[in-house]
Amino acid sequence: MPSEVALLESRTMRAEHLGRVDALDKVKALVMLPDGIHIRTEDASRYFEVSTDVIRQLTARHRAELTENGMRVLRGSELRSFHSDNMSLSSGGGGSYPQRRSSLTLYSRRSVLNIAMLLRDSDIARCVRTYLLDAEEGWREGYASLDRRLTNVEACLGGVGVALQELGPVLNRMSIRLDNLDRRLDATNKVVAAMSHRLCAMSDDIKRIDGRVDDVVHELRDLRRGRRRR
């Protein structure tokens, strides 16, 4: 797990955590300007509970990095337009926006998180860094757990592969036996069909014999009657 000092000193490591802007509100509510996107230097100082001079000095030392991550400096017509828009948005009870400033520095959530990873003398910034590092450690543990589970699944699949290889010859033998059984059943069906045909023929013969027996019986009766008449 990377240390807090490494996060303070490594721009590359800070860049890896800049997507976790949710960490700011996890530690302390970050009150945005009416546009919902930016805060001012004095807002940043209130959030981190340090003086505005501390924020300005840090901004001056790390201007390029903070600008890359959403810090803006407004001047001239852009500043006047921003003041006008935010005054109209905050007319229901927002803060004041001094009109005589020649410039105004604004910070996005991303750049505020960047400050949290640079500001040494702030308990709030320290808590944000701790939250980021703890969350990363939890993510690493979750990844390690998932990796172990995937390894177990792969091992099980390897066992299944071996079992299937061993099952192949058995299935082949069963298939041969089933084919033999099918042939024997076909032969049995043919024998049964032949026997059925012969039984039908025998039934016809028996009917004919029954008819001849009936004829003989009738003839014998006639003979008996003829003798009695004599």
Side-chain angles (χ1 to χ4, degrees):
M1 175 178 175
S3 66
E4 183 182 351
V5 174
L7 192 61
L8 286 165
E9 296 179 352
S10 172
R11 181 171 177 175
T12 300
M13 189 171 294
R14 290 193 293 273
E16 293 176 358
H17 293 82
L18 283 170
R20 298 297 312 278
V21 293
D22 60 299
L24 296 170
D25 287 309
K26 295 291 184 181
V27 174
K28 179 181 177 182
L30 180 63
V31 180
M32 310 301 292
L33 292 176
D35 67 356
I37 300 174
H38 301 99
I39 66 171
R40 302 163 299 174
T41 300
E42 49 267 42
D43 301 320
S45 71
R46 280 194 291 271
Y47 178 81
F48 290 110
E49 299 176 3
V50 296
S51 67
T52 55
D53 287 339
V54 169
I55 300 297
R56 290 192 181 98
Q57 290 169 10
L58 184 142
T59 298
R61 289 196 303 271
H62 300 279
R63 183 172 297 278
E65 182 178 347
L66 292 170
T67 299
E68 183 179 322
N69 291 306
M71 186 184 76
R72 300 170 58 195
V73 179
L74 304 184
R75 295 182 175 85
S77 61
E78 190 177 19
L79 175 59
R80 290 191 295 273
S81 176
F82 180 83
H83 279 156
S84 175
D85 292 342
N86 278 273
M87 284 294 289
S88 62
L89 289 171
S90 63
S91 59
S96 60
Y97 297 87
Q99 299 295 315
R100 295 184 179 180
R101 287 184 175 182
S102 60
S103 65
L104 177 64
T105 302
L106 298 175
Y107 305 89
S108 65
R109 284 182 176 272
R110 189 179 176 93
S111 56
V112 174
L113 182 60
N114 201 161
I115 291 174
M117 291 187 281
L118 288 167
L119 191 57
R120 295 176 182 270
D121 300 323
S122 166
D123 290 337
I124 300 299
R126 190 174 298 109
C127 288
V128 172
R129 292 193 293 272
T130 300
Y131 179 87
L132 290 173
L133 295 173
D134 288 347
E136 180 184 9
E137 181 64 19
W139 178 84
R140 290 180 185 276
E141 290 177 358
Y143 177 81
S145 174
L146 178 60
D147 185 62
R148 287 193 296 271
R149 292 171 64 186
L150 287 175
T151 301
N152 292 336
V153 170
E154 289 173 351
C156 292
L157 289 176
V160 170
V162 173
L164 289 176
Q165 289 177 355
E166 295 174 351
L167 188 60
V170 175
L171 292 175
N172 186 49
R173 289 194 296 272
M174 291 179 63
S175 178
I176 293 172
R177 293 178 65 183
L178 288 173
D179 288 341
N180 292 336
L181 183 60
D182 283 341
R183 286 193 291 271
R184 291 173 64 183
L185 286 173
D186 287 340
T188 301
N189 288 335
K190 290 178 181 178
V191 171
V192 171
M195 291 177 64
S196 177
H197 180 71
R198 291 180 65 184
L199 288 172
C200 289
M202 288 177 65
S203 177
D204 292 338
D205 291 341
I206 290 170
K207 289 179 180 178
R208 284 194 297 271
I209 292 171
D210 285 342
R212 292 177 65 183
V213 169
D214 288 340
D215 291 341
V216 170
V217 170
H218 289 310
E219 289 177 358
L220 288 173
R221 287 177 180 173
D222 291 341
L223 286 172
R224 287 177 182 174
R225 288 173 185 169
R227 287 178 182 176
R228 286 176 185 173
R229 290 174 184 172
R230 292 177 185 176

